[in-house]
Amino acid sequence: MGSQQVSGATRPMRWDAEHGITLLDSTGLRSGYVLGQSGSGTWGTGQVTRTEGGTRAGVWDADGKLTTLPLPDWETYSYDRGFAVNDAGTVVGNATGYIKNPATGGNLEVNDAFTWSAKDGFRKLPHLTDSRTLTEPIAINDAGVVVGHSSKDGKRRAVKWGADGTISDLGTLPGMADSTAESVNASGEIVGTSGDDAFVLKPGGTITRLPDFGFSAKALKVNDDAWIVGNAELQPDATTAVVWDPQGRMYDLGAMVDRTHWVPTEGIVVNNRGEVAFYATDLTAQGSTKIVVAKLPAV
């Protein structure tokens, strides 16, 4: 799922190999973006801008029908948005607003994380520290485990919220000042980025650096078979899409496509069918950018 420009407006859409692009419900919207989808592709969530004004979180069901979420009532928020959704239709996101800063008397922006479901409505997720900035829940698995980042010492810190809402500090790689968790699979394996490096955190283990080409790398998504997709620099400012297998070995996606046609640039997602999607430059079409789907290597 994602978005497409239609007559100058950004419209939410779903794509599959059989049907191509299908536009999703955008009734009453100026624009809509899908920012996350469930593992089966049944649900999508993101942010929508309403015709009457205001940005809200939205969730689309299997038929493409939109439910626009209200704002939580914990504060006077300006807007909210959904980042991820699981196959039960539970959305994670955050709401942004302004409160009085007790130190200065001025306004202080806050980002309060939440889960939402049609059955239970909003549930507030705690921050890691007293700071209410930089908190973003990025992914949720079907067990209700949420990962993302929160603020610690003014930096982003990778965190996990258990199904009961309890928050845990996932730490950083040695020598790195910050971290963020990007994805969690069914078994609880977490991937993300700490400083300039990609990491994996297996259940019961410690945060571990993934191999790269000696430069920056990011881990973006992990599937239930523990395949990870992300990006790695071949040299400074030259990035390629990569995957890491369940043993942690890295593969350049450029080796999986016709190099006279495609130059992979960024990873997007890996699914449980063994397919990986990534952005690539199309050398046959004036260097335009396309989304390419390829099969994972047999190992």
Side-chain angles (χ1 to χ4, degrees), residues 12-256:
M13 65 83 179
R14 173 187 284 123
W15 178 93
D16 63 58
E18 181 180 357
H19 304 99
I21 290 176
T22 301
L23 293 177
L24 304 177
D25 181 13
S26 58
T27 303
L29 303 184
R30 293 180 183 174
S31 62
Y33 302 82
V34 179
L35 301 177
Q37 68 184 85
S38 63
S40 68
T42 302
W43 297 89
T45 189
Q47 68 180 49
V48 299
T49 301
R50 304 176 301 173
T51 302
E52 69 266 29
T55 297
R56 300 289 185 270
V59 58
W60 291 267
D61 65 17
D63 297 322
K65 182 180 178 181
L66 170 66
T67 297
T68 301
L69 275 58
L71 295 172
D73 60 6
W74 312 311
E75 301 279 0
T76 303
Y77 294 106
S78 302
Y79 63 91
D80 58 4
R81 52 186 173 173
F83 288 113
V85 59
N86 65 15
D87 278 331
T90 300
V91 174
V92 294
N94 69 0
T96 297
Y98 294 88
I99 62 172
K100 186 71 70 176
N101 187 335
T104 66
N107 287 331
L108 177 68
E109 182 178 281
V110 296
N111 296 291
D112 290 329
F114 63 77
T115 66
W116 176 92
S117 69
K119 177 183 177 182
D120 300 321
F122 285 104
R123 182 179 69 163
K124 193 174 184 178
L125 295 175
H127 299 269
L128 183 60
T129 66
D130 290 339
S131 174
R132 294 172 63 185
T133 63
L134 300 180
T135 299
E136 293 182 331
I138 302 299
I140 180 172
N141 68 11
D142 288 340
V145 174
V146 179
V147 299
H149 54 259
S150 193
S151 178
K152 184 175 183 179
D153 300 325
K155 303 286 187 180
R156 285 183 173 87
R157 190 81 164 201
V159 295
K160 177 183 77 173
W161 291 270
D164 63 353
T166 303
I167 190 171
S168 302
D169 184 349
L170 301 183
T172 63
L173 289 172
M176 298 300 177
D178 60 5
S179 58
T180 181
E182 299 284 352
S183 182
V184 56
N185 68 10
S187 66
E189 187 166 326
I190 298 167
V191 300
T193 304
S194 179
D196 296 328
D197 295 328
F199 75 78
V200 60
L201 175 58
K202 296 181 181 294
T206 58
I207 187 169
T208 302
R209 180 177 176 270
L210 289 166
D212 52 40
F213 296 112
F215 303 96
S216 298
K218 295 181 179 181
L220 301 173
K221 296 289 182 180
V222 58
N223 73 6
D224 290 344
D225 292 325
W227 280 88
I228 302 165
V229 66
N231 311 323
E233 285 187 333
L234 296 165
Q235 60 188 39
D237 301 320
T239 301
T240 188
V242 298
V243 291
W244 291 271
D245 70 14
Q247 288 72 46
R249 296 170 296 196
M250 184 179 63
Y251 301 81
D252 182 353
L253 290 179
M256 297 163 56

Side-chain angles (χ1 to χ4, degrees), residues 267-278:
I268 303 174
V269 70
V270 58
N271 66 20
N272 289 332
R273 298 190 303 188
E275 297 166 325
V276 57
F278 53 94

